[in-house]
Protein backbone atom coordinates (compact mmCIF):
# COMPACT_ATOMS: atom_id res chain seq x y z
CA UNK A 1 0.00 0.00 0.00
CA UNK A 2 1.51 3.30 -1.14
CA UNK A 3 1.49 6.37 1.06
CA UNK A 4 -0.12 8.52 -1.65
CA UNK A 5 -3.27 7.42 -3.47
CA UNK A 6 -3.51 7.62 -7.25
CA UNK A 7 -6.06 6.11 -9.62
CA UNK A 8 -4.71 2.92 -11.15
CA UNK A 9 -5.56 4.03 -14.67
CA UNK A 10 -6.88 6.92 -16.72
CA UNK A 11 -7.46 7.26 -20.43
CA UNK A 12 -8.16 9.87 -23.06
CA UNK A 13 -8.21 10.40 -26.78
CA UNK A 14 -5.59 12.39 -28.67
CA UNK A 15 -6.13 16.10 -28.20
CA UNK A 16 -8.16 15.69 -25.04
CA UNK A 17 -7.14 16.57 -21.48
CA UNK A 18 -6.75 14.21 -18.55
CA UNK A 19 -6.12 14.85 -14.88
CA UNK A 20 -4.41 12.45 -12.49
CA UNK A 21 -5.05 12.97 -8.81
CA UNK A 22 -2.71 12.23 -5.91
CA UNK A 23 -4.16 12.21 -2.42
CA UNK A 24 -2.06 12.28 0.72
CA UNK A 25 -2.33 13.81 4.16
CA UNK A 26 -1.44 17.02 5.95
CA UNK A 27 1.90 15.37 6.78
CA UNK A 28 2.98 15.14 3.17
CA UNK A 29 1.06 16.63 0.21
CA UNK A 30 -0.90 19.07 2.33
CA UNK A 31 2.00 20.10 4.49
CA UNK A 32 4.64 21.03 1.95
CA UNK A 33 4.84 22.53 -1.54
CA UNK A 34 7.23 19.75 -2.55
CA UNK A 35 5.03 17.62 -4.80
CA UNK A 36 6.67 16.26 -7.94
CA UNK A 37 5.47 14.09 -10.82
CA UNK A 38 7.36 11.51 -12.86
CA UNK A 39 6.65 9.88 -16.19
CA UNK A 40 7.91 6.37 -16.81
CA UNK A 41 7.76 4.52 -20.10
CA UNK A 42 8.12 0.71 -19.99
CA UNK A 43 11.68 -0.36 -19.34
CA UNK A 44 12.88 3.20 -18.93
CA UNK A 45 13.96 5.35 -16.01
CA UNK A 46 11.45 7.84 -14.60
CA UNK A 47 11.54 11.40 -15.92
CA UNK A 48 10.74 14.49 -13.86
CA UNK A 49 7.73 16.31 -15.30
CA UNK A 50 6.64 18.68 -12.51
CA UNK A 51 8.33 19.80 -9.28
CA UNK A 52 7.39 22.04 -6.37
CA UNK A 53 3.69 21.40 -7.18
CA UNK A 54 3.52 23.35 -10.43
CA UNK A 55 7.00 24.08 -11.85
CA UNK A 56 8.08 22.56 -15.13
CA UNK A 57 11.69 21.58 -15.79
CA UNK A 58 13.28 22.86 -18.95
CA UNK A 59 12.24 20.75 -21.92
CA UNK A 60 8.92 19.54 -20.52
CA UNK A 61 6.05 20.69 -22.76
CA UNK A 62 3.65 23.24 -21.30
CA UNK A 63 0.87 20.71 -21.95
CA UNK A 64 1.85 19.32 -18.55
CA UNK A 65 0.73 21.29 -15.52
CA UNK A 66 0.48 20.66 -11.81
CA UNK A 67 -1.63 22.01 -8.97
CA UNK A 68 -2.58 21.29 -5.38
CA UNK A 69 -5.59 21.80 -3.19
CA UNK A 70 -5.42 20.74 0.42
CA UNK A 71 -4.11 17.18 0.63
CA UNK A 72 -4.63 16.43 -3.07
CA UNK A 73 -2.24 17.24 -5.89
CA UNK A 74 -3.13 16.95 -9.57
CA UNK A 75 -1.29 16.52 -12.84
CA UNK A 76 -3.13 17.70 -15.92
CA UNK A 77 -2.05 16.78 -19.41
CA UNK A 78 -3.73 18.76 -22.15
CA UNK A 79 -3.64 18.10 -25.88
CA UNK A 80 -2.93 14.40 -25.31
CA UNK A 81 -0.42 12.81 -27.64
CA UNK A 82 0.37 9.16 -28.26
CA UNK A 83 3.78 9.51 -26.63
CA UNK A 84 2.16 10.59 -23.37
CA UNK A 85 1.04 6.99 -22.81
CA UNK A 86 3.08 5.93 -19.77
CA UNK A 87 2.95 5.40 -16.03
CA UNK A 88 2.83 8.54 -13.89
CA UNK A 89 3.93 8.71 -10.27
CA UNK A 90 3.38 11.49 -7.78
CA UNK A 91 5.86 12.12 -5.01
CA UNK A 92 5.90 14.31 -1.94
CA UNK A 93 8.32 15.32 0.75
CA UNK A 94 6.97 14.05 4.07
CA UNK A 95 9.25 15.56 6.67
CA UNK A 96 12.00 13.68 8.42
CA UNK A 97 10.07 12.33 11.43
CA UNK A 98 8.79 9.18 9.76
CA UNK A 99 9.60 9.01 6.09
CA UNK A 100 11.25 11.70 4.05
CA UNK A 101 9.85 10.92 0.62
CA UNK A 102 6.60 9.16 -0.27
CA UNK A 103 5.23 8.02 -3.60
CA UNK A 104 1.90 7.19 -5.09
CA UNK A 105 1.32 3.74 -6.53
CA UNK A 106 1.37 5.03 -10.09
CA UNK A 107 -1.29 5.70 -12.74
CA UNK A 108 -1.29 4.07 -16.15
CA UNK A 109 -2.29 6.60 -18.80
CA UNK A 110 -3.71 5.10 -21.95
CA UNK A 111 -4.10 7.24 -25.06
CA UNK A 112 -7.00 5.72 -26.94
CA UNK B 1 25.14 16.85 -20.16
CA UNK B 2 24.23 15.38 -16.80
CA UNK B 3 24.73 11.62 -16.63
CA UNK B 4 24.28 9.13 -13.84
CA UNK B 5 25.47 5.56 -14.36
CA UNK B 6 24.72 2.81 -11.84
CA UNK B 7 26.80 -0.33 -11.58
CA UNK B 8 27.30 -3.27 -9.27
CA UNK B 9 23.98 -5.05 -9.57
CA UNK B 10 23.61 -8.78 -9.98
CA UNK B 11 22.47 -12.01 -8.39
CA UNK B 12 23.15 -12.40 -4.69
CA UNK B 13 22.04 -14.90 -2.06
CA UNK B 14 19.83 -13.88 0.85
CA UNK B 15 21.83 -12.59 3.79
CA UNK B 16 24.77 -11.51 1.65
CA UNK B 17 25.97 -8.01 0.79
CA UNK B 18 26.28 -5.96 -2.37
CA UNK B 19 27.57 -2.47 -3.10
CA UNK B 20 26.12 -0.34 -5.87
CA UNK B 21 27.93 2.63 -7.38
CA UNK B 22 26.54 5.69 -9.11
CA UNK B 23 29.07 7.56 -11.23
CA UNK B 24 28.05 11.12 -12.04
CA UNK B 25 29.21 13.54 -14.70
CA UNK B 26 28.15 16.83 -16.22
CA UNK B 27 27.60 18.75 -12.98
CA UNK B 28 29.39 19.71 -9.76
CA UNK B 29 28.66 16.50 -7.86
CA UNK B 30 29.61 17.84 -4.44
CA UNK B 31 26.97 20.57 -4.61
CA UNK B 32 24.03 18.15 -4.69
CA UNK B 33 22.24 15.65 -2.51
CA UNK B 34 22.04 12.21 -4.10
CA UNK B 35 19.21 9.74 -3.64
CA UNK B 36 18.56 6.07 -4.30
CA UNK B 37 15.26 4.55 -5.35
CA UNK B 38 14.18 1.04 -6.24
CA UNK B 39 11.42 -0.57 -8.24
CA UNK B 40 10.49 -4.20 -7.71
CA UNK B 41 9.40 -6.08 -10.84
CA UNK B 42 6.01 -4.84 -11.96
CA UNK B 43 5.70 -2.54 -8.96
CA UNK B 44 5.91 1.18 -8.25
CA UNK B 45 8.79 3.37 -7.15
CA UNK B 46 10.12 3.22 -3.61
CA UNK B 47 12.44 5.75 -2.04
CA UNK B 48 15.45 4.07 -0.41
CA UNK B 49 17.34 7.04 1.02
CA UNK B 50 19.56 10.01 0.33
CA UNK B 51 22.79 11.66 1.31
CA UNK B 52 23.07 15.40 1.69
CA UNK B 53 25.88 17.43 0.23
CA UNK B 54 28.85 18.21 2.46
CA UNK B 55 27.56 21.78 2.73
CA UNK B 56 24.58 20.33 4.59
CA UNK B 57 26.62 17.97 6.67
CA UNK B 58 26.73 14.99 4.31
CA UNK B 59 24.19 13.24 6.53
CA UNK B 60 21.87 10.48 5.42
CA UNK B 61 18.21 9.50 5.70
CA UNK B 62 16.69 6.09 4.98
CA UNK B 63 13.36 4.43 4.43
CA UNK B 64 12.23 2.26 7.34
CA UNK B 65 12.40 -0.85 5.12
CA UNK B 66 16.18 -0.54 4.71
CA UNK B 67 17.29 1.37 7.82
CA UNK B 68 20.08 -0.45 9.62
CA UNK B 69 20.84 -2.65 6.59
CA UNK B 70 21.64 -0.15 3.83
CA UNK B 71 24.21 2.65 3.93
CA UNK B 72 24.61 5.51 1.48
CA UNK B 73 27.97 7.24 1.13
CA UNK B 74 29.69 9.52 -1.33
CA UNK B 75 33.14 10.28 -2.68
CA UNK B 76 33.02 13.82 -4.04
CA UNK B 77 36.57 13.56 -5.39
CA UNK B 78 35.43 10.78 -7.71
CA UNK B 79 31.82 11.99 -8.24
CA UNK B 80 30.48 8.66 -7.04
CA UNK B 81 27.62 7.80 -4.70
CA UNK B 82 27.43 4.35 -3.14
CA UNK B 83 24.67 2.16 -1.79
CA UNK B 84 26.00 -0.55 0.52
CA UNK B 85 23.37 -3.21 1.00
CA UNK B 86 23.82 -5.75 3.80
CA UNK B 87 21.66 -8.61 5.06
CA UNK B 88 19.82 -8.70 1.76
CA UNK B 89 16.35 -10.21 1.61
CA UNK B 90 14.39 -11.62 -1.30
CA UNK B 91 12.08 -8.60 -1.08
CA UNK B 92 15.04 -6.33 -1.90
CA UNK B 93 14.94 -7.66 -5.46
CA UNK B 94 14.46 -4.61 -7.67
CA UNK B 95 15.95 -2.24 -10.19
CA UNK B 96 17.90 0.34 -8.22
CA UNK B 97 18.14 3.91 -9.50
CA UNK B 98 20.34 6.73 -8.37
CA UNK B 99 19.06 10.27 -8.78
CA UNK B 100 20.15 13.81 -8.15
CA UNK B 101 18.30 15.72 -5.46
CA UNK B 102 16.47 15.10 -2.20
CA UNK B 103 13.04 16.71 -2.56
CA UNK B 104 12.61 16.33 -6.27
CA UNK B 105 14.73 14.24 -8.57
CA UNK B 106 15.69 15.81 -11.85
CA UNK B 107 18.15 13.30 -13.25
CA UNK B 108 17.99 9.50 -13.05
CA UNK B 109 20.40 6.78 -13.98
CA UNK B 110 19.35 3.87 -16.17
CA UNK B 111 19.09 1.57 -13.17
CA UNK B 112 20.83 -1.64 -12.15
CA UNK B 113 19.03 -4.89 -11.36
CA UNK B 114 19.61 -6.58 -8.03
CA UNK B 115 18.21 -10.09 -7.67
CA UNK B 116 18.25 -11.67 -4.24
CA UNK B 117 17.68 -15.39 -4.55
CA UNK B 118 19.15 -18.66 -3.38
Amino acid sequence: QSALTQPRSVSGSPGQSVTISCTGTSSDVGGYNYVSWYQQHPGKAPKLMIYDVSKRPSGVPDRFSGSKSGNTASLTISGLQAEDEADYYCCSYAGSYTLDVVFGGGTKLTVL
Amino acid sequence: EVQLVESGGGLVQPGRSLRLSCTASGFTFGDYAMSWFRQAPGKGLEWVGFIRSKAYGGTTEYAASVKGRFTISRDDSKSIAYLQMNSLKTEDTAVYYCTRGSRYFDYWGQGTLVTVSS
Side-chain angles (χ1 to χ4, degrees), chain A residues 71-83:
Chain A
N71 296 335
T72 298
S74 298
L75 173 70
T76 297
I77 309 170
S78 59
L80 268 179
Q81 299 182 3
E83 59 261 36

Side-chain angles (χ1 to χ4, degrees), chain B residues 27-68:
Chain B
F27 65 101
T28 304
F29 181 78
D31 289 349
Y32 290 86
M34 297 297 294
S35 299
W36 287 91
F37 289 84
R38 66 184 181 182
Q39 188 169 34
K43 302 296 185 182
L45 295 166
E46 180 186 12
W47 173 72
V48 172
F50 70 78
I51 185 165
R52 297 177 177 86
S53 66
K54 291 290 195 299
Y56 289 89
T59 52
T60 52
E61 306 291 346
Y62 299 97
S65 57
V66 305
K67 203 166 189 176

Side-chain angles (χ1 to χ4, degrees), chain B residues 41-117:
Chain B
K43 302 296 185 182
L45 295 166
E46 180 186 12
W47 173 72
V48 172
F50 70 78
I51 185 165
R52 297 177 177 86
S53 66
K54 291 290 195 299
Y56 289 89
T59 52
T60 52
E61 306 291 346
Y62 299 97
S65 57
V66 305
K67 203 166 189 176
R69 299 189 299 124
F70 290 13
T71 302
I72 298 173
S73 60
R74 63 190 301 155
D75 184 336
D76 290 350
S77 68
K78 296 181 180 178
S79 297
I80 299 177
Y82 299 101
L83 177 63
Q84 177 68 42
M85 304 184 292
N86 298 332
S87 303
L88 282 161
K89 306 175 182 180
T90 55
E91 53 263 42
D92 294 320
T93 293
V95 174
Y96 284 74
Y97 295 100
C98 81
T99 71
R100 188 177 80 168
S102 60
R103 294 196 177 160
Y104 64 87
F105 312 97
D106 55 358
Y107 290 95
W108 295 64
Q110 84 287 353
T112 187
L113 176 62
V114 172
T115 302
V116 184
S117 174

